[in-house]
Amino acid sequence: MTRLWNEPADFADEMVDGFARANGRWVRKVYGGVSRATASADPEVAVVIGGGSGHYPAFAGLVGPGLAHGAAMGNLFASPSAHQVESVARASHRGRGVLLSYGNYAGDVLHFTEAQETLRADGIDCRSVAVIDDIFSAAPDEIEKRRGIAGDLTVFKVAGAAASLGYDLDGVERVAQHANRRTRSMGVAFTGCTMPGAAEPLFSVPEGRMAIGLGIHGEPGLAETAIPSANGLAELFVERLLDDAEIPEGARKSGARVVPILNGLGSVKSEELFVVFSRIAELAEAEGLTLVDPQVGEFCTSFDMAGVSLTLFWLDDELERLWLAPADTPAFRTGSFDAAGLSAIADDGEQAAERSVPAASEESRDAAQRIAALLGAVRDVIDEHADELGRIDAIAGDGDHGIGMKRGARAAAEEASAVVGLGAGARTVLASAADAWADRAGGTSGALWGVILRTLATHVTDDARVSPEQLGAGLSAASDAVMAYGKAQVGDKTLVDALVPFAGKLAEGLAGGSDLPTAWEAAAKAATKAAEDTADLMPGKGRARSHGEKALGVPDPGAVSLALIATTVGSKLAQS
């Protein structure tokens, strides 16, 4: 279990601060993560990697010459926000464009894509490569749906080496995609990991059993078997990885060159890994493969999870040259890197700007105060239920929903209170709360709550009263915006399953002549019923998608939290 922490919701922030202080030779802390502390003599394409915290040495430990230029780090097992990614990318950019690379998870795709679009709009050429190495998360004919696990390292290393050698952005993107297609991984676990502050692991495996096909965010395995011997595990790894239908043509022919990466996920000892690797090497050589630069250790972890993954990276001449190129980072070093051409990057610090808000009418300022009070009530109810939301999420997800919602709701309430104190109107307080929620929460839920509040803000103004009709229209628009943004539909077992009936019932009640409290109460009941009904659905989107029937019988945490918020707001409206 995770033993050393202060406030669980602050764990990731405090970890990043400590990491940067301990590794100032390589990195400097910037908003959203870390960036290189030094720059090469000639400008390079900036390779910016990232994802949730809890996976060290991924992602911050891979920042340094010859590898990544920056790492955006979100909350525990949650993607960084678009603002965080953008901030790290801007801090790392040296004029030749940016390549973003991350594991293929819904929240990461949403946030990194939004950051990419913002950077492009500002004239910075930016590309993305989502890593898809996990063979158990989707079939070979749906390879683009596969998630990224420890194979992130091969894509990041090849891209960073190409940038260091002077490749342009087209070239860096090309070799990163090439490495992505030639990387295959699978993992197993003997016990789940425990989040800071949690009393129990995110999942458990029966004594003497092993979960196969786990995710690095604490997602449970997709299958289960008796724990084999070390040799048996090696044989399982090699057999499954070599049987994958998308292995490059000729890969099993004599002389094919492969980098094996045997990765400990948190609490499996190095000595155990070496025993397993001995048999892996024998099996690979028996297949006629030549092992190049074997890596055995921790490269992408999941807190204290007792588990192991094996990655096979199939080389060609260019990929081998890039893999073996020198790199010097806190956690991954290879070759002899010449630091003579490096120069320190000045840390200008972050200057706090004096805040101001648009002028607002008295009616709108009064509405803004009520909105801030409602967001305070949302914060309180999420704080109260965060542990239960995390428990639900852990059954077929990654267990981060409670912490993410707590961070987002707290940030939104704090920001709303701050701008109300400056005299903000309704539109400004909603827009400011939206940005704060999305930025602090990260993950898919953070992005979607940012969309909800931001869309609602566009339907009210800073110079007039807020009407029930505006709220109804805003929430209907928010429902459509969330579906367009996250690509989920009703029935996919997501927040959408509660949001759509809520917005529809609210609009129906208001159109029928009900006052706002009455219409809202009926809509909240519809959302609660819809959230409960998600227990009978199979997931079509998000991290639970690959777990299929494991998600049956438990409601979707995003739908549950939305219904909880709707009910809380409704009770406050009834009291006003």
Side-chain angles (χ1 to χ4, degrees), residues 12 34 37 61 74 78 92 104 164 182 229 244-245 269 311 322 347 361 367 384-385 404 484 506 550 554 557 564 568:
V34 296
S92 305
N104 187 35
S164 181
R182 283 177 163 257
S229 64
D244 189 78
K269 301 298 293 181
T311 298
L322 294 171
D347 188 355
S361 69
E384 180 184 350
H385 291 84
L506 179 63
K550 288 182 179 291
V554 61
L564 188 65
T568 299

Side-chain angles (χ1 to χ4, degrees), residues 370-439:
R370 293 198 296 272
I371 292 168
L374 290 173
L375 287 169
V378 168
R379 172 202 60 213
D380 293 343
V381 76
I382 291 299
D383 276 355
E384 180 184 350
H385 291 84
D387 289 346
E388 176 62 10
L389 293 173
R391 185 195 69 79
I392 295 172
D393 191 34
I395 293 173
D398 53 17
D400 71 334
H401 188 69
I403 288 179
M405 289 293 291
K406 179 186 285 190
R407 284 168 61 100
R410 285 182 177 181
E414 181 179 334
E415 178 67 7
S417 178
V419 296
V420 162
L422 296 173
R427 171 174 285 188
T428 296
V429 76
L430 282 168
S432 299
D435 290 344
W437 192 314
D439 193 34

